[in-house]
Amino acid sequence: MPEDVFVLPVDRRLGAYTTLRRVGALPVVVVTHPRVRAAITLQGAQLVHWQPAGEEPVLWLSETTAFEEGRAVRGGVPICWPWFGAAGRPAHGFARVLPWELLDVDENGAGDEAGSGDEAVRLTLVLRASEASRAYWPHEFEVSARFVLGRECRIELEARGDFESTAALHTYLRVGDLEEVRVTGLGGPYVDKVLDAPVHTAPATDGIAFRGRTDRVYTSPDDVSRAADPAGKRVVEVRHEGHTDVVVWNPGADLARSMADVPDDGYREFVCVESAHVSRPLVSRPGTPARLGATLRIVSDA
């Protein structure tokens, strides 16, 4: 997403700080608040920009991604639902390529939900079963994505209906240099999907550094992961809620060169730390919705 999304023409004003604009073919909800700048595509309810005041953008977004209808946007926080990975088609589920409805905009502040009493903007988007969704999945459902955008960024996914699913909040964290990054708070056991190997166990205190393509599902993670980024001079915390797993992903040099929506050296600019519910299903029952959440915040300089 070009930085000038914040100066693009306004299609519709939704509040004092919130507008609807358009990037390529996609409508985008843009937040310009004294505490935060943010942007969410209506397709996929995908957060593509979050930047607390005085900070550099926290999320990575590919400069070569296409903002086209029915095509996944590369970067930000894609919502992978109702399946993760190649369990169905399209990969990572249909929720990220269908249009969602903007249900509510609340600019009155969110108290401590936004972190230390900061002001924030709250947005709620919803996706319901439709003819388009039934082409992929037979179930009736309603899934909501709630965002609290301030000094912290909170995302909550809530799925209502009678079904089982898997999900991930596929967070792309922007970093200064991948080779200097270390992610901790992952626990010990993990499934290595690059090697297609059974569960490994690493020392829980060591975390992970990145030396090539990385695709791991950590199956006993902590509730909080941290990405220390010395080149970017900060540490970003991801607080997981309702998760069974944390997925850590980076395509590495060789795979990145084969991806049209990742620049050849773009893989060095991000690491994915994903709040996930994939090793066991999310169970939604009538009156008992399933939830998955993540809260991002900058905790310190690296």
Side-chain angles (χ1 to χ4, degrees):
M1 180 187 63
E3 280 293 311
D4 63 1
V5 67
F6 296 99
V7 296
L8 287 174
V10 173
D11 289 352
R12 181 154 54 99
R13 184 159 290 281
L14 305 172
Y17 307 112
T18 310
T19 56
L20 188 66
R21 310 186 192 203
R22 185 169 292 273
V23 178
L26 301 185
V28 179
V29 179
V30 176
V31 174
T32 307
H33 185 276
R35 298 283 189 178
V36 65
R37 299 203 308 174
I40 299 172
T41 61
L42 291 188
Q43 176 178 283
Q46 184 165 339
L47 182 67
V48 292
H49 189 95
W50 172 57
Q51 182 180 10
E55 304 287 353
E56 292 297 314
V58 177
L59 302 175
W60 179 84
L61 186 71
S62 173
E63 63 189 36
T64 60
T65 196
F67 283 79
E68 298 177 358
E69 291 182 3
R71 185 171 176 180
V73 173
R74 175 72 65 183
V77 187
I79 294 174
C80 303
W81 187 87
W83 56 79
F84 178 79
R89 289 289 180 269
H92 291 313
F94 56 78
R96 66 186 187 140
V97 296
L98 291 184
W100 293 51
E101 175 188 355
L102 180 62
L103 198 63
D104 186 57
V105 177
D106 179 1
E107 298 181 336
N108 294 322
D112 288 339
E113 279 192 271
S116 304
D118 282 350
E119 295 176 273
V121 174
R122 301 174 61 144
L123 304 174
T124 302
L125 293 89
V126 65
L127 179 67
R128 299 183 177 93
S130 65
E131 184 176 346
S133 72
R134 292 184 195 101
Y136 301 110
W137 203 51
H139 299 284
E140 296 300 307
F141 67 87
E142 181 176 289
V143 60
S144 299
R146 301 186 184 97
F147 299 84
V148 181
L149 303 165
R151 296 294 301 176
E152 293 185 359
C153 170
R154 174 176 165 77
I155 307 169
E156 183 186 57
L157 191 69
E158 181 179 274
R160 292 176 292 278
D162 191 3
F163 48 79
E164 295 184 355
S165 60
T166 55
L169 300 172
H170 198 309
T171 304
Y172 287 74
L173 297 176
R174 179 177 173 179
V175 300
D177 185 349
L178 178 70
E179 290 189 358
E180 296 185 32
V181 171
R182 180 170 291 274
V183 178
T184 57
L186 300 170
Y190 66 90
V191 176
D192 193 322
K193 297 175 69 178
V194 174
L195 300 177
D196 194 21
V199 173
H200 293 261
T201 301
T205 57
D206 285 2
I208 182 174
F210 298 85
R211 300 294 182 266
R213 182 181 172 190
T214 303
D215 191 354
R216 295 182 179 183
V217 180
Y218 285 84
T219 56
S220 296
D222 297 344
D223 290 338
V224 176
S225 302
R226 289 188 173 189
D229 175 20
K233 299 181 180 179
R234 66 184 177 193
V235 177
V236 176
E237 177 183 278
V238 183
R239 190 181 313 132
H240 316 287
E241 300 174 31
H243 64 302
T244 56
D245 315 276
V246 171
V247 179
V248 179
W249 181 78
N250 182 276
D254 291 341
L255 182 58
R257 281 193 288 270
S258 72
M259 301 170 71
D261 55 0
V262 176
D264 285 355
D265 290 333
Y267 74 96
R268 298 177 64 92
E269 301 170 354
F270 70 85
V271 60
C272 291
V273 181
E274 310 171 36
S275 306
H277 208 298
V278 298
S279 61
R280 299 192 301 274
L282 272 168
V283 179
S284 303
R285 294 291 179 253
T288 309
R291 295 184 178 91
L292 177 68
T295 300
L296 313 179
R297 68 182 183 118
I298 300 169
V299 294
S300 68
D301 295 333

